[in-house]
Amino acid sequence: MDARNDSAAILAEHLQSNGVAVAWTDATALSASHPLNSAACEDVTADDGCYVTSYGYEVGQYGDERETADRVAYLVGARTGHESLPVDVEAIGATIRRALSLGSGRPDPDALIELEEELRGHIALLLPEVRGTARQLRPNSNEAHRLQAQLDGIERQTGQGLGQGTLSAHVQVHQLARDCQYLLARHTAEIQR
């Protein structure tokens, strides 16, 4: 057993102690899910000294399994009140710019698939952050209802998939980029308060 296997096994133990359901997908990769909702899951791979999610986010490094487990537990909703993943504003902004700069013409289908995955990952990171700040609004106010409807719509949009053909994929990527831009703007405004 190499260091990746040992580290992944230690991570699995910490995840289970956090109440996360763990299923091994291979010797260095596991699927972590909420104990009551298997749809709330995250695949984590041990690779090159760090742990990476299926969206390409680095959630921790070897030797940092306890904190990594806390972050993954947060991602699958198994534990609240713990440190969330840091929001890399520059990386998210770069992805948004790439998606919006596709313009007209025939974008490469592989590029659309890659951008859709990246944008979904960014939205998955930002959405809980913005929902958390939405709880600070006066309950039942118009602003709270509008924001809740906007966030619900963004969540539904991420589940739409690319559809059939390049045009629908292009439209979906563009919409996800706009949704991500909205979430990033709200997140940034909250940090600056």
Side-chain angles (χ1 to χ4, degrees), residues 56-68:
Y57 278 94
E58 182 181 315
V59 289
Q61 298 180 343
Y62 294 177
D64 190 22
E65 284 77 17
R66 183 181 311 272
E67 290 78 12
T68 301

Side-chain angles (χ1 to χ4, degrees), residues 147-169:
L147 179 57
Q148 186 63 43
Q150 178 83 24
L151 298 179
D152 290 347
I154 290 171
E155 190 169 19
R156 279 190 304 277
Q157 189 69 39
T158 60
Q160 293 296 313
L162 291 175
Q164 300 295 319
T166 306
L167 179 60
S168 78

Side-chain angles (χ1 to χ4, degrees), residues 34-114:
H34 189 282
L36 301 176
N37 181 3
S38 61
C41 69
E42 189 64 57
D43 294 331
V44 179
T45 304
D47 186 37
D48 198 28
C50 58
Y51 299 102
V52 181
T53 69
S54 57
Y55 289 119
Y57 278 94
E58 182 181 315
V59 289
Q61 298 180 343
Y62 294 177
D64 190 22
E65 284 77 17
R66 183 181 311 272
E67 290 78 12
T68 301
D70 284 343
R71 291 181 191 111
V72 173
Y74 176 84
L75 283 175
V76 300
R79 208 158 177 203
T80 57
H82 285 73
E83 174 188 356
S84 63
L85 290 174
V87 174
D88 187 345
V89 173
E90 292 301 318
I92 295 171
T95 304
I96 292 168
R97 285 189 297 279
R98 277 191 4 247
L100 294 177
S101 71
L102 289 175
S104 59
R106 287 186 86 84
D108 177 34
D110 291 335
L112 290 170
I113 291 168
E114 180 182 326

Side-chain angles (χ1 to χ4, degrees), residues 131-146:
R131 281 197 195 279
T133 62
R135 291 186 194 103
Q136 299 170 5
L137 298 174
R138 197 175 85 242
N140 298 323
S141 68
N142 286 338
E143 183 182 8
H145 285 293
R146 275 194 300 273

